[in-house]
Amino acid sequence: MSMDDNETNDLFEVQFQEDQSDADATKATFIDPDDGTEYEWDVEKRAWFPKLTDEMLINYQLRYGVNEEDESGETCSNDKNCDIKDKVSTVGSDQTDSTPPPIKKKKPNQAEWFDVDKEKNNHVYVSGLPTDKDFTEYDFHTFMTKCGIVLVDETGKPKLKLYRDSTGSLKGDGRCTYLKVESVNLAETILHGS
């Protein structure tokens, strides 16, 4: 009843191959109709997981970068000049035609004029203020608190601004930020004629 080691290994290989084919046959897959993602059912975890393919990994690495060490021992990231396409092309060189075009980064927005919704605007622009040196931010604050509570910034100062020209003298206008939007309507009503 003794078997050769070769026969035992052959028997083991045959049994192993049968187990693998049975496991592959019992794996359930599901394709999401919305985005076409293929999911596999994990029996142990009793949950659906996206099926990892070479194409999916390539797309992920192209979008989010690869953290690998280059020849100098430094870690590559999107901040450094590491060519991700060269590193990833060895994974799926036959699928280079199906990779999406590189994503263009948005340029930072330049300052531009925008309109704030009147229901959310808590800023008031005031013109016709005194231009003499005796008029201070404290006087402006006292004047504007007639209509409501002035918002305070992180440093504890009221959010007020008196506009000045290039020489530093007052222009006669300013801006006030109230805590509540209702104060803006009151300021427009009370201060419009004064």
Side-chain angles (χ1 to χ4, degrees):
M1 266 223 56
S2 68
M3 291 184 151
D4 247 330
D5 285 338
N6 289 338
E7 291 177 15
T8 306
N9 287 341
D10 291 341
L11 186 59
F12 174 77
E13 286 294 323
V14 169
Q15 184 66 34
F16 181 74
Q17 293 296 331
E18 288 177 2
D19 290 344
Q20 287 296 325
S21 63
D22 289 344
D24 290 340
T26 59
K27 283 187 179 179
T29 59
F30 166 71
I31 298 176
D32 189 3
D34 295 334
D35 60 2
T37 305
E38 188 174 354
Y39 293 92
E40 273 185 329
W41 177 256
D42 189 338
V43 178
E44 292 176 10
K45 296 179 183 171
R46 299 179 51 112
W48 290 100
F49 290 100
K51 188 174 185 179
L52 296 177
T53 62
D54 287 341
E55 183 179 350
M56 183 177 167
L57 291 174
I58 290 170
N59 289 334
Y60 179 84
Q61 291 171 346
L62 286 173
R63 286 190 179 98
Y64 301 109
V66 180
N67 284 335
E68 294 181 4
E69 287 189 5
D70 59 4
E71 292 81 22
S72 65
E74 293 185 23
T75 302
C76 294
S77 64
N78 285 340
D79 298 337
K80 296 186 180 179
N81 293 330
C82 296
D83 192 7
I84 296 172
K85 291 181 182 178
D86 290 342
K87 293 182 180 184
V88 177
S89 64
T90 58
V91 175
S93 59
D94 59 325
Q95 298 175 356
T96 55
D97 295 319
S98 64
T99 57
I103 298 172
K104 295 180 182 177
K105 292 185 178 181
K106 294 182 180 179
K107 295 179 182 176
N109 292 340
Q110 294 181 354
E112 59 183 39
W113 186 261
F114 63 94
D115 292 323
V116 179
D117 187 15
K118 192 169 185 167
E119 296 172 358
K120 297 178 182 178
N121 186 14
N122 60 343
H123 303 280
V124 175
Y125 177 80
V126 183
S127 60
L129 296 172
T131 57
D132 59 346
K133 292 182 180 182
D134 296 336
F135 190 74
T136 63
E137 283 191 11
Y138 176 76
D139 296 328
F140 185 48
H141 181 263
T142 305
F143 181 67
M144 297 307 290
T145 52
K146 293 178 184 177
C147 303
I149 300 171
V150 177
L151 191 66
V152 178
D153 64 5
E154 301 84 25
T155 62
K157 294 181 180 179
K159 286 191 114 178
L160 301 167
K161 181 172 184 175
L162 290 172
Y163 293 101
R164 301 177 184 274
D165 61 12
S166 59
T167 62
S169 53
L170 294 173
K171 287 180 155 184
D173 54 351
R175 182 179 44 87
C176 173
T177 305
Y178 284 109
L179 184 65
K180 295 191 174 188
V181 177
E182 293 81 14
S183 301
V184 173
N185 296 331
L186 186 60
E188 286 176 350
T189 305
I190 292 175
L191 302 176
H192 187 64
S194 59

